[in-house]
Amino acid sequence: MSAQYLAYDFPLLSAFWTVLWIFLWIMWFVLLFRIVVDIFRDDSLSGWAKAGWLVFVCVLPFLGVFIYVIARGKNMGSREVAQARAQQEAFDSYIRDTAKGGDRRSGSVDDLARLSEIRARGDITDEEFRRAKELVLAGGHPSPDDLGTRRPA
């Protein structure tokens, strides 16, 4: 009689199979969550279509995930890239606005300091300074025409 050895007869091979199964389960859950996020992200699907896919993926998870990947998997990557680009553009826009001086208080302080220097040189009168200061504090930028400055001839 010959003895038949199984994978679980060897402890190292048993550990390998256990790790492999855990890894496959984790991969399946990651795929499931990515599909659920993709269903909500896709603007081309109607509400009923989204509900149908969600029910299908939740009621028959293995079959639903595999059918979703076969039917709509090709565009999953493009939707994810488009969403990542939109986030990057929003972040870049925020950085540009912040770098330009999106904080109006510091810009107002700079404008008031420049106005004070112009008044100290005698280029504008006290009345013109007062009008320009009101304009700056209201959120605008004074231009030479707003100040009524006298331009040298």
Side-chain angles (χ1 to χ4, degrees):
M1 212 182 249
S2 68
Q4 184 178 9
Y5 293 104
L6 299 174
Y8 285 100
D9 294 334
F10 299 99
L12 187 59
L13 197 54
S14 172
F16 170 76
W17 282 111
T18 303
V19 169
L20 181 68
W21 279 111
I22 291 171
F23 176 75
L24 289 174
W25 272 101
I26 291 172
M27 289 293 294
W28 186 82
F29 277 113
V30 167
L31 182 61
L32 177 67
F33 291 129
R34 285 190 58 167
I35 286 174
V36 169
V37 167
D38 187 64
I39 289 171
F40 284 110
R41 180 184 295 150
D42 190 6
D43 292 332
S44 67
L45 286 176
S46 68
W48 286 106
K50 288 180 183 185
W53 276 113
L54 281 174
V55 167
F56 189 45
V57 167
C58 291
V59 171
L60 299 170
F62 289 109
L63 186 62
V65 164
F66 291 130
I67 290 177
Y68 187 87
V69 169
I70 291 169
R72 300 183 45 83
K74 182 178 181 181
N75 295 329
M76 280 178 68
S78 62
R79 284 188 290 273
E80 189 169 339
V81 167
Q83 194 253 350
R85 279 191 185 136
Q87 281 183 338
Q88 185 66 40
E89 288 173 8
F91 179 73
D92 291 345
S93 173
Y94 170 75
I95 294 296
R96 274 193 299 276
D97 291 345
T98 304
K100 276 195 251 180
D103 184 15
R104 277 304 306 149
R105 289 175 292 186
S106 65
S108 298
V109 170
D110 293 340
D111 289 344
L112 289 174
R114 273 189 244 112
L115 281 173
S116 180
E117 290 173 15
I118 293 171
R119 183 180 67 167
R121 285 192 314 242
D123 291 340
I124 60 174
T125 65
D126 288 337
E127 177 61 27
E128 291 168 337
F129 175 77
R130 184 188 60 73
R131 280 187 297 157
K133 184 172 87 170
E134 289 173 1
L135 181 64
V136 167
L137 293 176
H141 291 288
S143 67
D145 294 332
D146 295 331
L147 297 175
T149 58
R150 297 176 297 273
R151 294 197 174 103

